[in-house]
């Protein structure tokens, strides 16, 4: 379920989601006003239109996504929040096809038609690798847009280009960065 509050944080309503068993996390809006959320245990991407109607499921990949960002060209970037080979007890997680793993720590890029384009990052501690991709946004503050990634368990925030090439570490030695949003000239 998704709880809705007004500007004074008074309860306004509850959206009961269908086909989801666990916590819905990583709520974000796309440019069209669709609300996206993620049930990491059923590996489902939840989408709700601006009228509060749950949209049909679309299987982007059998991965435990927990975050999304959107490019101006309609590209969709989904970050794998979970990785490893052991599904959580009580979950309905499937293995990544051809592996014995529930996730591998990538960001997956899809085009505007929701077709897979590429995966980038992957598991590891070195720069250009992820250890729990927990927050992403398309950062349009510079000369060209970049994907800003909260690399939570590697305790750093990174920039990647829109084609999935590592650009640089922005800040390291943070305490588990987990979410990011662009407000004017600031990343918060």
């Amino acid at each position: 379920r998704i709880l809705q509050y007004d500007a004074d944080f008074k309860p306004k309503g509850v959206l009961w989601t269908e086909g989801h068993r666990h916590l819905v996390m990583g709520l974000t809006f796309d440019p069209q006003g669709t609300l996206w959320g993620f049930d990491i245990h059923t590996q489902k991407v939840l989408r709700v239109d601006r009228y509060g109607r749950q949209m049909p499921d679309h299987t982007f990949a059998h991965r435990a996504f927990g975050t999304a960002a959107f490019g101006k060209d309609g590209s969709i970037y989904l970050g794998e929040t979970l990785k490893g080979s052991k599904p959580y007890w009580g979950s309905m997680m499937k293995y990544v096809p051809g592996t014995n793993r529930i996730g591998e720590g990538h960001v997956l890029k899809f085009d505007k038609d929701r077709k897979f384009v590429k995966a980038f990052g992957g598991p590891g501690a070195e720069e250009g690798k992820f250890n729990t991709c927990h927050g992403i946004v398309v950062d349009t503050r510079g000369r060209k847009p970049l994907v800003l990634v909260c690399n939570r368990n590697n305790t750093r925030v990174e920039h990647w280009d829109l084609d999935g090439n590592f650009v640089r570490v922005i800040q390291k030695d943070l305490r588990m960065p987990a979410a990011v949003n662009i407000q004017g000239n600031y990343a918060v």
Side-chain angles (χ1 to χ4, degrees):
R1 68 183 174 161
I2 298 172
L3 306 176
Q4 183 181 15
Y5 295 88
D6 67 15
D8 297 319
F9 290 102
K10 293 182 182 156
K12 187 173 178 184
V14 176
L15 171 65
W16 291 95
T17 59
E18 297 178 15
H20 301 273
R21 295 184 48 204
H22 297 278
L23 173 70
V24 175
M25 63 181 286
L27 297 176
T28 191
F29 287 96
D30 70 17
Q32 292 74 39
T34 300
L35 177 66
W36 290 59
F38 306 91
D39 179 343
I40 59 174
H41 296 282
T42 61
Q43 296 171 312
K44 292 197 178 210
V45 176
L46 167 72
R47 295 174 302 132
V48 178
D49 70 18
R50 65 182 73 203
Y51 305 104
R53 297 178 301 221
Q54 187 170 336
M55 300 169 74
D57 283 341
H58 176 81
T59 302
F60 285 90
H62 292 294
R63 309 285 176 106
F65 297 119
T67 184
F70 308 94
K72 287 190 178 190
D73 66 351
S75 295
I76 304 163
Y77 299 88
L78 300 177
E80 286 184 280
T81 297
L82 298 181
K83 59 184 182 45
S85 59
K86 186 175 179 187
Y88 286 124
W89 180 85
S91 75
M92 300 168 59
M93 294 178 176
K94 297 178 182 175
Y95 291 117
V96 174
T99 76
N100 65 346
R101 300 179 61 76
I102 58 170
E104 297 182 325
H106 291 95
V107 171
L108 276 67
K109 179 180 179 180
F110 297 85
D111 68 15
K112 63 181 173 54
D113 298 317
R114 298 181 288 191
K115 291 189 173 43
F116 176 74
V117 175
K118 72 180 296 186
F120 59 92
E126 64 272 17
E127 291 183 3
K129 298 294 183 182
F130 300 128
N131 188 0
T132 308
C133 179
H134 213 274
I136 58 177
V137 68
V138 174
D139 185 353
T140 58
R141 298 173 299 158
R143 286 191 344 253
K144 62 181 185 173
L146 297 167
V147 178
L148 191 153
V149 179
C150 293
N151 194 342
R152 189 179 76 179
N153 291 340
N154 281 336
T155 67
R156 61 182 180 250
V157 178
E158 305 164 346
H159 265 150
W160 296 72
D161 70 19
L162 298 183
D163 293 321
N165 299 304
F166 178 75
V167 174
R168 69 185 178 106
V169 171
I170 300 167
Q171 183 71 46
K172 56 181 154 180
D173 300 321
L174 300 170
R175 283 191 79 187
M176 300 181 78
V180 64
N181 198 342
I182 303 296
Q183 296 295 319
N185 290 324
Y186 299 97
V188 294

